[in-house]
Amino acid sequence: MPNIEQLNKLIGQFGKLPGVGAKTAQKMAYFMLAQPDSAVKEFADTLLKSRDLIRCCPHCQNLTDRPLCPICADPKRQKSAICVVEKPEDVEAMERTRTFTGTYHVLHGLISPVNGIGADQLRIRELLHRVAEEEIEEVILATSPNVEGQATALYLNKLIKPFGVRVTGLALGIPVGGTLEYADSLTLTRAMENRRTFE
Amino acid sequence: MPNIEQLNKLIGQFGKLPGVGAKTAQKMAYFMLAQPDSAVKEFADTLLKSRDLIRCCPHCQNLTDRPLCPICADPKRQKSAICVVEKPEDVEAMERTRTFTGTYHVLHGLISPVNGIGADQLRIRELLHRVAEEEIEEVILATSPNVEGQATALYLNKLIKPFGVRVTGLALGIPVGGTLEYADSLTLTRAMENRRTFE
């Protein structure tokens, strides 16, 4: 560690970023100090302004800089279907497919007792409110197929079923372009169970 | 790219950091937006405060948050020897060895015509001023042994020699723990040329 207190603080801040270790944080701090004052100010301003302008859409909880996010505000989107995802990045991934025309609901996390994240820390209340108040026909639970994602989906299924809404999940199987040889047994089992008839 | 202008600006700022690609920048931006307001404010404040407090030592040009850096201010350091390095990180690397007791001079770059960096953009004038005004006995040119580092060292040697000061460079050879088998021919040639007598 360098012998300058303020520099160590700066390295500490960069070290908090995801995927940044001690060495990279140090590199970033030195990089920042080699920049002109205006560039550092722009970085700091962008940070503060982003945090200030970008908030959660009050309807679907996705990030947006408008009062209502573009998807919720779009009259062409099918309001009767909600695709429930873990985080804003998942909405983006889904939107890239250009096939889903319904709306989203972002949980901002998954139930994870190991990490101390309970159901009350997620945006589940807002989801149930939508299911109760709006004319919803289908809720697609699109959380990732890992332990936390599955647990969250099972929990949500139990809560939503009583409203008489169809609850579905994404298909599990071999990814397109994948090879049987390197697929894990669990994926292969699911792919076999959910095999489809050629048309 | 997400559909939020301010978010794209934030991603753009993270993308400027060294070693951060488009995907990582996006991850960092989303991470930042998931933080509480106070954490984002702390990050921005640390950035601004660091740029404000950390300046170059007027004597050796190394980064410091004091009027004179601790090495230049230390009466125990041998003021007659200057180790010339490319950047502040190099001073740290050198200090970790705990063997050099002289002072440093940080150039803040290397001569690199390809990248449009000329001698006038480095802190060479300040180095020559020290050599001319102080009682310097030895200048160790410790720039990295690559094209730019060698070119800068040769250039500095030409400038410093007329002052009648001893100019030296770091030894080139096999790194400790290295293997002959994987050493490149140039390094091996230098190691052979500079071979030493066993005592």
Side-chain angles (χ1 to χ4, degrees):
Chain A
M1 290 287 259
N3 194 12
I4 312 170
E5 194 193 344
Q6 184 63 33
L7 180 54
N8 287 330
K9 277 188 197 163
L10 185 61
I11 294 173
Q13 288 293 338
F14 280 116
K16 286 182 188 169
L17 294 173
V20 175
K23 197 78 192 167
T24 312
Q26 196 167 328
K27 206 180 230 168
M28 287 174 172
Y30 276 119
F31 168 84
M32 229 43 225
L33 290 174
Q35 299 303 304
D37 288 12
S38 61
V40 179
K41 200 174 170 306
E42 197 192 328
F43 199 125
D45 284 350
T46 308
L47 268 172
L48 293 174
K49 216 173 150 195
S50 300
R51 197 67 195 82
D52 200 44
L53 286 178
I54 305 172
R55 293 285 164 184
C56 289
C57 168
H59 190 240
C60 73
Q61 311 298 325
N62 191 11
L63 294 176
T64 183
D65 54 356
R66 302 184 209 172
L68 203 65
C69 82
I71 294 173
C72 286
D74 188 349
K76 281 183 210 139
R77 304 293 295 224
Q78 205 187 321
K79 297 290 188 296
S80 60
I82 304 178
C83 175
V84 180
V85 293
E86 178 193 344
K87 49 191 194 293
E89 293 95 308
D90 298 337
V91 173
E92 263 184 74
M94 215 54 166
E95 283 295 283
R96 275 198 295 272
T97 67
R98 293 171 189 272
T99 48
F100 181 66
T101 57
T103 60
Y104 295 93
H105 192 88
V106 181
L107 296 173
H108 288 279
L110 293 173
I111 297 172
S112 171
V114 181
N115 298 315
I117 299 171
D120 51 322
Q121 279 156 276
L122 309 180
R123 309 290 168 92
I124 293 176
R125 204 176 306 117
E126 291 84 350
L127 173 62
L128 294 178
H129 186 262
R130 285 178 71 182
V131 174
E133 298 295 314
E134 299 168 22
E135 286 183 12
I136 306 298
E137 287 169 14
E138 182 176 1
V139 173
I140 304 152
L141 299 176
T143 51
S144 297
N146 52 28
V147 177
E148 281 104 3
Q150 297 276 53
T152 309
L154 288 173
Y155 179 80
L156 288 178
N157 180 37
K158 218 183 265 178
L159 287 176
I160 297 167
K161 265 281 167 64
F163 290 98
V165 171
R166 187 175 169 222
V167 183
T168 55
L170 293 181
L172 295 171
I174 314 282
V176 177
T179 46
L180 274 199
E181 190 181 350
Y182 297 114
D184 61 291
S185 329
L186 214 62
T187 302
L188 216 49
T189 312
R190 295 305 181 94
M192 200 62 173
E193 280 170 8
N194 301 317
R195 64 190 179 277
R196 68 222 154 79
T197 319
F198 274 99
E199 280 150 30
Chain B
M1 290 289 259
N3 195 12
I4 312 170
E5 196 193 341
Q6 185 63 33
L7 180 54
N8 287 331
K9 276 187 200 165
L10 186 61
I11 295 173
Q13 287 294 338
F14 280 115
K16 284 181 190 171
L17 294 173
V20 175
K23 197 79 192 167
T24 312
Q26 195 166 327
K27 206 180 230 170
M28 287 174 172
Y30 276 118
F31 167 84
M32 228 45 224
L33 291 174
Q35 299 304 304
D37 288 12
S38 61
V40 179
K41 201 175 169 304
E42 198 193 328
F43 198 127
D45 283 350
T46 309
L47 267 172
L48 293 174
K49 216 173 148 196
S50 300
R51 196 67 195 81
D52 201 41
L53 286 179
I54 305 171
R55 294 284 165 185
C56 288
C57 168
H59 190 239
C60 74
Q61 311 298 325
N62 192 12
L63 294 176
T64 184
D65 54 357
R66 301 184 211 172
L68 202 66
C69 82
I71 294 173
C72 286
D74 188 349
K76 280 183 213 140
R77 305 290 298 221
Q78 202 189 323
K79 298 290 189 296
S80 61
I82 304 178
C83 176
V84 180
V85 295
E86 178 193 345
K87 48 190 195 291
E89 295 95 308
D90 297 338
V91 173
E92 265 185 73
M94 215 54 164
E95 283 296 284
R96 274 197 297 273
T97 67
R98 293 169 189 272
T99 49
F100 181 65
T101 58
T103 60
Y104 295 93
H105 192 89
V106 181
L107 296 172
H108 289 278
L110 294 173
I111 298 173
S112 172
V114 180
N115 299 313
I117 300 170
D120 50 322
Q121 279 156 277
L122 309 180
R123 309 288 168 94
I124 293 176
R125 206 175 306 116
E126 291 84 351
L127 173 62
L128 294 179
H129 186 263
R130 286 178 69 183
V131 174
E133 299 294 315
E134 298 168 24
E135 285 183 14
I136 305 299
E137 286 168 16
E138 181 177 1
V139 173
I140 304 153
L141 300 176
T143 50
S144 297
N146 51 29
V147 177
E148 281 105 2
Q150 297 278 53
T152 310
L154 288 174
Y155 179 81
L156 289 178
N157 180 38
K158 218 182 267 178
L159 287 178
I160 297 166
K161 266 281 166 66
F163 290 97
V165 171
R166 187 175 170 224
V167 183
T168 56
L170 293 180
L172 295 171
I174 313 283
V176 176
T179 46
L180 276 200
E181 189 182 351
Y182 297 113
D184 60 293
S185 330
L186 214 60
T187 301
L188 216 50
T189 309
R190 294 304 180 97
M192 201 60 173
E193 281 171 5
N194 300 317
R195 63 190 179 275
R196 67 222 155 83
T197 318
F198 272 101
E199 281 149 30

